[in-house]
Structures are given as structure tokens and as C-alpha cells.
Amino acid sequence: MEGSCRLSTTVSGSYGGNSFLFGIANPFSIEAWTEIETELMRRNELRNGLIYIQVSRGVAERAFQYAEGLEPTVVMFPQFSRVQSNPVIETGGRIITVPDLRWARRDIKSTSLLAQVMAKHAVKQAGVNEAWMLDGDEITEGASSTAFIVSASNELITRNLSQNILPGITRRTIIEIAKRHGLTIVERPFSKAEVLSATEAFYTSASTIAVPVIEMDDVSVGGGAPGPVFRSLYDAYLQDIMTQPAIIF
């Protein structure tokens, strides 16, 4: 069977952000990562979706002190999803707020995801699309996403990178696109009240790209409809991905 797929920089460029903090060596070059990903797509006929990658230190006896010189263990698998056809892009998503219960190093993406699991369960129970986490009255980020708002002065606001949030790859790409579109980017903490008074709000992640927010905790946001800033950034992101060279298999 013949088909085509495109590799996003999210896949090939994502490894390494946290690994140096733990002394885990990158097991592959960018070229090798791309070759493995391409073969994974070919074997699974993956045309729309993403590849999940998890790297651990390696195999050793269970102990608090880890051994040196281990060979990292890599697990990769495809997830099939047509994000371009997500109906919530047109209708807008509803979110709730939950307390941010995570540990102090929220910038480290590890398997310690109990707080996010609890937040996602709250999302399911509430019948909404995502939860934004609160530290006091300030939004940190989503349970599995980065939070953005658009102010009345048309500034695109998202929390600055620090130990308080995960440095999302899609966040970085959306900011790059926004700069190309001439938007003013403000990276700072913002409050729940600012979300409710914003002209637009949306969140980004590798699995959804971006989703407009039209309601938070049963209160309308941004007039209750997806806004033009979101739409332009989302369309530009898809255009960037689709103009990358296709991988034929």
C-alpha cells in the first residue's frame, strides 16, 4: 500500500529537554530518531496521528540509588488521530479549573503524573474538554496542555518558562508563528480573572495542536465562540506541517 506522512519537529526535536537533568544520555542522533520514527510509521501505516516516545534510564535492580552507565530503554508507539477533523476546533472547548497539586519541578516531564491523572478524571466527570490548574489565583497550565489568552489590547499572553510549567514543543511553535504574524507576545503569569475578561483563550498540546476555549467553570469566555487570533494561528500551524516534505511508504 502506498501512502504519505509528514514528520513534525515535535517528534524529532522533543528528546533532551529533561534528560540532562537526570544524566540520561540521548541514545540516538536526530537522524537515527527520524529513521526509527519513519519505520514505525511505515509498519503501522500511520498517516494522521503522533508517535509517543518514552525514555527511561535503563534496566537495573529496584533501588533509590541508580546505577551509572546504564543503556537507556526506549519505548515508542503510534497513536492514530485526525486532529484536523476535531469538531471542537469549530465549536470551542469547555474547561474547568483545579488546584495545581504537582511537585515543585513541574518543568520535568516524568512518569510522576498522579496530579494530572486526577485533573483529567475531574475533566471526565465534568463532561468538559480540559482542566487548567491553579496555583492560588494564577493559571499555571492545563492538565496536559499550555494555556494562552488574548488580551483586550490584542496581546498573546502565556506563562513564562520556569520550573512551574512544562516547556511544550507546540507552545514554542505557536509562539514562533504568532511572531511571524506580528502579534505581541507577553510571557508572564495570568489570573483566572484575566481569562474570564480575555477576548480569546485557547490551549496547545502535541495531541490536539490547539483548542479554543469558550467557557471556564460554566462562565463564558471570549464571547462564547472561537476567535480570529486562534483561527489564524491554528491554520498557520497546519500549513507549516503540510508544507514539510512528505514521507512516502
Side-chain angles (χ1 to χ4, degrees), residues 8-72:
S8 161
T9 53
T10 301
V11 178
S12 293
S14 60
Y15 183 85
N18 300 147
S19 60
F20 75 92
L21 295 170
F22 302 112
I24 302 176
N26 191 336
F28 305 120
S29 65
I30 290 296
E31 293 74 20
W33 277 114
T34 302
E35 184 177 335
I36 297 168
E37 292 155 2
T38 302
E39 178 64 12
L40 193 59
M41 289 191 298
R42 186 193 68 77
R43 291 190 185 189
N44 293 277
E45 299 181 2
L46 177 64
R47 291 172 176 79
N48 282 276
L50 55 90
I51 295 174
Y52 180 87
I53 302 172
Q54 183 168 303
V55 181
S56 59
R57 187 176 301 279
V59 179
E61 291 293 328
R62 192 261 184 207
F64 284 104
Q65 298 86 7
Y66 52 80
E68 301 294 339
L70 297 176
E71 180 179 351

Side-chain angles (χ1 to χ4, degrees), residues 84-99:
Q84 307 98 308
S85 304
N86 188 350
V88 78
I89 302 303
E90 304 300 330
T91 62
R94 298 163 55 234
I95 66 174
I96 57 174
T97 56
V98 297

Side-chain angles (χ1 to χ4, degrees), residues 204-224:
T204 63
S205 70
S207 58
T208 62
I209 300 179
V211 173
V213 173
I214 62 167
E215 184 182 289
M216 170 187 277
D217 292 337
D218 297 321
V219 179
S220 178
V221 174

Side-chain angles (χ1 to χ4, degrees), residues 154-183:
N154 216 40
E155 294 176 329
L156 183 63
I157 304 172
T158 190
R159 196 177 181 107
N160 53 297
L161 293 181
S162 68
Q163 294 183 1
N164 289 317
I165 67 168
L166 191 71
I169 299 293
T170 308
R171 171 193 184 277
R172 184 180 68 189
T173 304
I174 287 292
I175 288 175
E176 291 171 355
I177 293 171
K179 289 178 179 177
R180 293 207 310 262
H181 282 234
L183 290 173

Side-chain angles (χ1 to χ4, degrees), residues 13 95 144 150 185 199 220 239 246:
I95 66 174
S144 61
V150 180
I185 315 297
T199 59
S220 178
Q239 182 63 28

